[in-house]
């Protein structure tokens, strides 16, 4: 899905990071003064899934591909072909693809040639050839054809090489039919040099004279490269590192000598998912070479989903807005100090509004929906774009809320069938097997690791052959850089909302919602008297999920006169943070609204005395108001906000000691809601809206 990028001006501005590292503006290709003239950092964009790292790299490729050599590789998408030979590894698979992209013609410059890389890749490809298997040799050389064409433009060059290489092998003084990597590589290299390289290009073989044990002889270096590659382990890693440096050397040569004046800016390498082993193998040789003082003047932009990856241990770290006009990077002593790690920041409310305006050109989307989506998504660009697309295509816009957008169907790509927004977001934010999503959908209902393990044991099977399910899912979340917390096992609000949406609707069992019911009934039992983790607030939280609001109101009424009003307010806040049991496709006002405003059946239990009955009705309205206003899948309602404030002020007059705190809640909670913040506790204290029970719990454990 092509999408417009918002909030990324620090990278794409005319004096942004990309312009300063490449020497060219992304728009218009005007020259820009280099921020780092000779020694430049590798810029690594960090952020979790859906933060727009890949979108930024693709946009860089799109903007620069006609003005300077540029190549993009996704390190998670490099897979072995079915007919791969022993010379194929992820590194030798990625390098020809990069070279082929970099050789594309750009304005006013000759295509880049890759003679050094071609020689090295041909040498390692030949390690398994024998005189008895001409097919293998022909297939390997033909797979390298697009890259070899950067040196020899004849389309059938590889076919001719195979015959000549095998003829040389037949004339060699050895009798064994077993692969002999060094001799085969030497014969192959000699043939390639003779047949396809010009006299000037043949000098490129001398570059391999710097390979270990080559003694300055390039042909010996190429032979040793093939031998090391065949032996595997650290020796293969050394050979692969040298191949990466061969690509860099070819790029540097293209910008050297007389041709330097004919080229503008710097070549650009884009490495997506560089936190993977392949990504590190492509980037780290350049970092080590630069740290040793061998400078290449290649603009490298990479991405890492893991912010605290060990490969970023000594990186200079900046947040995106901080690099808008200067990176303030300087090299330290460690090799990875050559990295400028730029954390992509979430979109702000105005940028989310711009995304909605782009898809809603007629202005039908309800006021506040963009801010509601910002609250739900935390400004994660992928989610913002999909939800804005869903809102723009909705036929009935008046009743749209963030939760209803999850049920909308959108066309993500022309070559794919339309998809449900919730399903598409989960697939993109948490890719993996269906079983993992099933497990995490259940565990998303948990409040912390202990309750997640309880749920896993009860609902997912204790005796998994792969070990503790909850701990495996915890590690899977952390591996994807998703937070796991004590208040919610799945701590990211958007991911948790998506997983709970899946739990609610995955079985298609309307109106019973059997899986949803079973999970929350399990938690209700665990938190109840005699359960494994007794906790009154958590028990009532689960009862509210299951539709027993009266039990919650009754508890709040019975505890209302107790002296510690802070505990009472915190319990109200936590109980009302319960997920609302939605019905898919429902339109019209939220049912909680009518209860909060006193317009639904609001009769108290008949057994109560008049004063208690009045308090019960009042607390029922307050509970439903807080429940609705705290829901990230709903939108704030001004009438309900005013009603909530009114109820809290009324309660402040009824409580024997809690006038001040209840009055403060009536003042500050509406401010929190209008500012799209969680309800603060104590009311008005900044940074306390964590959605969990506060400092003191009623009969609750540390995790509950």
């Amino acid at each position: 899905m092509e999408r417009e990028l918002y909030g990324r001006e620090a990278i794409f501005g005319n004096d942004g990071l990309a312009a300063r590292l490449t020497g060219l503006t992304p728009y218009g290709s005007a020259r820009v003064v280099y921020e780092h003239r000779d020694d430049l950092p590798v810029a690594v964009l960090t952020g979790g899934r859906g933060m727009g790292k890949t979108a930024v790299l693709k946009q860089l490729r799109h903007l620069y591909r006609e003005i300077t050599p540029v190549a993009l590789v996704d390190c998670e998408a490099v897979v072995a072909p079915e007919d791969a030979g022993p010379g194929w590894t992820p590194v030798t698979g990625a390098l020809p693809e990069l070279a082929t992209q970099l050789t594309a013609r750009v304005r006013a410059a000759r295509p880049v040639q890759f003679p050094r890389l071609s020689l090295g890749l041909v040498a390692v490809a030949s390690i398994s050839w024998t005189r008895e298997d001409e097919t293998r040799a022909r297939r390997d050389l033909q797979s390298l054809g697009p890259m070899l064409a950067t040196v020899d433009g004849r389309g059938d060059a590889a076919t001719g090489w195979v015959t000549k290489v095998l003829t040389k092998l037949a004339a060699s003084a050895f009798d064994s039919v077993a692969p002999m990597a060094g001799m085969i590589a030497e014969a192959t290299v000699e043939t390639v040099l003779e047949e396809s390289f010009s006299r000037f290009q043949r000098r490129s073989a001398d570059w391999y004279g710097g390979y270990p044990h080559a003694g300055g002889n390039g042909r010996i270096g190429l032979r040793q490269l093939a031998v090391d590659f065949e032996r595997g382990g650290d020796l293969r890693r050394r050979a692969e590192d040298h191949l990466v440096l061969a690509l860099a050397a070819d790029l540097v040569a293209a910008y050297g000598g007389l041709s330097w004046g004919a080229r503008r800016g710097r070549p650009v390498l884009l490495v997506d998912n560089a936190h993977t082993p392949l990504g590190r193998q492509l980037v780290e040789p350049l970092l080590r070479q630069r740290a040793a003082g061998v400078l290449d003047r290649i603009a490298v932009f990479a991405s890492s989903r893991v912010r605290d990856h060990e490969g970023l241990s000594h990186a200079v770290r900046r947040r995106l807005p901080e690099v808008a006009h200067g990176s303030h990077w300087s090299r330290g002593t460690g090799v990875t100090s050559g990295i400028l790690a730029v954390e992509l920041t979430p979109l702000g409310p105005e940028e989310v509004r711009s995304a909605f305006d782009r898809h809603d050109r007629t202005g039908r989307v309800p006021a506040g929906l963009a801010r509601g989506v910002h609250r739900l998504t935390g400004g994660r660009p992928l989610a913002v774009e999909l939800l804005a697309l869903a809102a723009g295509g909705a036929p009935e816009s008046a009743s749209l809320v963030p939760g209803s957008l999850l049920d909308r169907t959108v066309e993500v790509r022309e070559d794919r069938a339309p998809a449900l927004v919730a399903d598409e977001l989960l697939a993109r934010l948490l890719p993996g097997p269906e079983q993992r999503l099933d497990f995490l959908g259940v565990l998303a209902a948990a409040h912390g690791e202990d309750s997640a393990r309880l749920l896993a044991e009860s609902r997912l099977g204790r005796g998994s052959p792969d070990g503790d399910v909850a701990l495996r899912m915890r590690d899977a979340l952390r591996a994807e850089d998703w937070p796991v917390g004590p208040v919610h096992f799945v701590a990211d609000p958007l991911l948790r909302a998506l997983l709970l949406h899946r739990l609610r609707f995955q079985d298609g069992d309307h109106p019973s919602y059997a899986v949803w019911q079973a999970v929350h009934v399990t938690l209700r039992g665990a938190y109840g008297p005699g359960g494994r983790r007794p906790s009154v607030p958590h028990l009532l939280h689960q009862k509210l999920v299951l539709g027993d609001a009266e039990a919650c109101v009754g508890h709040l009424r019975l505890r209302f006169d107790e002296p510690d009003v802070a505990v009472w307010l915190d319990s109200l806040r936590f109980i009302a943070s319960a997920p609302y049991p939605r019905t898919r496709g429902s339109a019209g006002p939220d049912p909680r609204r009518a209860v909060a405003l006193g317009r639904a059946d609001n009769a108290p239990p008949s057994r109560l005395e008049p004063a208690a009955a009045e308090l019960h009705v009042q607390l029922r309205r307050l509970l439903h108001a807080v429940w609705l206003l705290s829901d990230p899948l709903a939108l704030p309602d001004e009438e309900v906000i005013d009603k909530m404030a009114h109820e809290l002020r009324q309660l402040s007059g009824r409580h024997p000691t809690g006038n001040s705190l209840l009055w403060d809640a009536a003042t500050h909670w509406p401010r929190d809601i209008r500012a799209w913040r969680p309800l603060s506790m104590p009311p008005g204290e900044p940074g306390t809206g964590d959605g969990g029970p506060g400092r003191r719990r009623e009969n609750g454990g540390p995790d509950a």
Side-chain angles (χ1 to χ4, degrees), residues 432-443 460 464-466 469 472-473 499 502 506:
E434 284 290 310
Q435 185 185 53
R436 186 170 76 167
L437 288 178
D438 291 342
F439 287 175
L440 285 171
V442 171
L443 300 182
L460 303 177
S464 169
D466 297 321
V469 174
R472 284 195 292 115
M473 294 302 101
L499 289 168
R502 176 183 172 86
Q506 73 181 73

Side-chain angles (χ1 to χ4, degrees), residues 574-654:
F574 177 66
I575 293 166
S577 69
Y580 180 63
R582 300 182 176 280
T583 301
R584 173 170 277 166
S586 60
D590 192 301
R592 291 171 291 183
R593 184 176 191 274
V595 180
L597 297 176
R599 296 171 184 169
D601 181 12
N602 217 20
S606 58
R607 67 182 185 278
L608 296 180
E609 296 293 330
E614 181 183 357
L615 178 61
H616 190 95
V617 170
Q618 195 171 6
L619 292 176
R620 183 191 290 151
R621 293 195 297 262
L622 177 62
L623 174 66
H624 282 80
V626 176
W627 193 13
L628 174 61
L629 296 172
S630 302
D631 189 349
L633 297 179
L635 290 178
D637 183 300
E638 282 298 322
E639 193 173 357
V640 176
I641 293 174
D642 291 340
K643 186 65 173 176
M644 177 188 71
H646 172 76
E647 301 293 359
L648 287 166
R649 291 193 183 97
Q650 291 290 311
L651 291 172
S652 74
R654 298 187 62 139

Side-chain angles (χ1 to χ4, degrees), residues 123 127 180-187 189 208 211 213 217-229:
I127 61 174
M180 298 183 65
M183 296 189 69
I184 296 171
E186 188 172 4
V189 166
Y208 286 91
Y211 194 79
H213 311 302
N217 187 310
R219 286 169 172 77
I220 294 176
L222 281 161
R223 182 172 66 187
Q224 187 63 43
L225 177 88
V227 171
D228 286 354
F229 190 93

Side-chain angles (χ1 to χ4, degrees), residues 472-483:
R472 284 195 292 115
M473 294 302 101
R474 180 200 67 185
D475 290 349
L477 288 171
R478 288 176 175 172
E480 296 283 343
D481 210 35
W482 291 108

Side-chain angles (χ1 to χ4, degrees), residues 520 524 538-549 551-552 578:
H520 289 287
R524 183 182 63 185
H538 288 80
L539 171 63
L540 295 170
H541 180 103
Q542 295 304 322
K543 286 188 174 183
L544 190 57
V545 174
L546 293 167
D548 189 2
C552 303

